[in-house]
Amino acid sequence: MRDFPSCFGENGVQVADSSSSSSSGATKAAQNLVACVYQCKLHGRSFLINVTWTKNLMGQGLCVAVDDSTNQCLCKVEIKPWLFSKRKGSKNLEVDSSRVDIYWDLSGARFGSGPEPVEGYYLAVAYNQEMVLLLGDLKKEAYRKIDAAPINSNPVFIAKREHIFGKKFYGAKAQFCDKGLTHDITIECDTIDVKDPCLVIRIDSKTVMQVKRLKWKFRGNHTILVDGLPVEVFWDVHNWLFGNAMGNAVFMFQTCLSAEKFWACQSVFDPSVLTWSYSQRFKDNQLQGLGFSLLLYAWKNE
């Protein structure tokens, strides 16, 4: 199946892998995972920092990768599940005659149901001893322990990929604009023993879109408004209706800074040109700073 993960191919920000309908592929893809992409700038140079949090039976995991503006990976640090690794440490790397330092302290981190820490931690990335990314609530502690100049340009949170699980209801949180409110997203879709399935999406418990006759409209897109900004919602529930019963559906929320720019970059939804048009539009939107992308893989629990 060609689905929205193909939007993030060679020409797009790498926040998603192609999903697989095979049992082994589905097992691997269905891991508890949150991947975030931040755009950082320093001395006129742009970087993409990919932070991936994972959770499995062995514990929590973390991977940090730094890419240049062409999506070429400059360096990567992977922290294995904490049965085998310390929750506190640092890594120093040399990249093109420059120094990249990655620091983390998750020894007192507290987690919710997902793999991403809620509080009590910090994760920092410094480039030539200048901080470019600092995550977590322990920022003062981080600066006390790290010999790096403060961030002089705020990183921009540009994309997020998350695996969510449920039977009928699927939930996630998202902040659609910088310094905006964090919203609760609820996706409702019951495809088990239902003659005419329906898809409902709610933002903060308010219904923003409803798709009836889902067997005929298993792929599509629709524009909603959140915080006064247009958000384009794409959905692909083909797997749920016609594929592997334990397969995943894919939802993408793409925001833009203004309605004028939003409509200027729109094209007619056509699955046959999905790979090129959306990968190119995603890349153009991120390079022009046109918004935030949220990609949700929704997996059915047994």
Side-chain angles (χ1 to χ4, degrees):
M1 184 184 91
R2 302 302 293 272
D3 55 22
F4 292 116
S6 64
C7 298
F8 302 87
E10 294 180 358
N11 293 327
V13 175
Q14 302 292 320
V15 298
D17 303 319
S18 295
S19 61
S20 170
S21 59
S22 66
S23 59
S24 61
T27 300
K28 181 179 179 181
Q31 66 177 311
N32 201 344
L33 176 150
V34 174
C36 303
V37 183
Y38 302 86
Q39 187 176 52
C40 308
K41 292 185 178 180
L42 185 64
H43 302 310
R45 188 173 183 182
S46 180
F47 302 92
L48 294 175
I49 301 180
N50 301 267
V51 179
T52 303
W53 306 91
T54 57
K55 180 181 179 181
N56 56 35
L57 294 176
M58 292 188 296
Q60 310 287 146
L62 170 64
C63 180
V64 181
V66 181
D67 299 348
D68 62 16
S69 58
T70 65
N71 294 322
Q72 181 69 34
C73 185
L74 301 177
C75 62
K76 183 178 180 179
V77 173
E78 187 171 1
I79 305 168
K80 298 295 184 179
W82 293 325
L83 286 177
F84 307 99
S85 302
K86 294 181 179 179
R87 292 194 177 197
K88 183 178 180 180
S90 63
K91 187 73 173 180
N92 311 114
L93 303 165
E94 291 290 331
V95 178
D96 296 334
S97 301
S98 298
R99 176 176 169 177
V100 176
D101 299 305
I102 300 174
Y103 306 85
W104 64 92
D105 186 350
L106 301 133
S107 56
R110 287 172 288 281
F111 295 83
S113 58
E116 199 173 9
V118 176
E119 60 181 353
Y121 78 102
Y122 70 77
L123 170 65
V125 179
Y127 181 80
N128 287 337
Q129 293 188 297
E130 291 188 54
M131 198 79 77
V132 292
L133 180 67
L134 180 55
L135 304 178
D137 57 324
L138 301 183
K139 292 181 171 58
K140 292 183 179 179
E141 290 81 352
Y143 277 115
R144 280 201 297 264
K145 297 178 181 180
I146 300 172
D147 182 20
I151 296 176
N152 57 15
S153 63
N154 292 327
V156 180
F157 187 18
I158 63 171
K160 182 178 183 180
R161 171 176 59 126
E162 183 174 358
H163 290 193
I164 55 179
F165 304 86
K167 292 183 179 180
K168 179 180 178 181
F169 296 94
Y170 306 82
K173 292 182 180 294
Q175 185 178 358
F176 290 103
C177 61
D178 190 31
K179 298 180 181 180
L181 298 174
T182 298
H183 296 280
D184 291 313
I185 301 174
T186 303
I187 298 170
E188 178 184 353
C189 187
D190 188 359
T191 59
I192 306 299
D193 298 326
V194 176
K195 182 178 295 186
D196 188 15
C198 176
L199 171 66
V200 179
I201 295 181
R202 298 182 179 91
I203 304 292
D204 298 330
S205 300
K206 179 181 178 181
T207 299
V208 293
M209 61 171 282
Q210 183 175 15
V211 182
K212 297 181 180 180
R213 302 180 66 195
L214 197 58
K215 289 184 178 180
W216 295 93
K217 302 175 183 178
F218 55 85
R219 294 190 185 107
N221 62 316
H222 180 73
T223 306
I224 63 175
L225 286 177
V226 181
D227 297 330
L229 294 176
V231 177
E232 187 77 350
V233 181
F234 303 89
W235 68 90
D236 186 335
V237 297
H238 181 276
N239 269 355
W240 281 356
L241 297 172
F242 309 111
N244 184 347
M246 299 310 298
N248 67 294
V250 186
F251 301 87
M252 185 167 73
F253 297 77
Q254 172 73 58
T255 71
C256 290
L257 291 181
S258 70
E260 188 174 305
K261 290 182 179 180
F262 176 81
W263 292 115
C265 70
Q266 287 302 290
S267 60
V268 176
F269 182 82
D270 182 357
S272 67
V273 297
L274 182 64
T275 302
W276 181 86
S277 64
Y278 287 105
S279 64
Q280 185 64 39
R281 191 176 72 186
F282 180 87
K283 177 184 177 183
D284 292 344
N285 283 1
Q286 303 312 324
L287 292 177
Q288 297 173 33
L290 292 185
F292 170 78
S293 295
L294 172 66
L295 187 66
L296 298 176
Y297 288 77
W299 298 87
K300 284 190 175 295
N301 289 331
E302 296 182 4

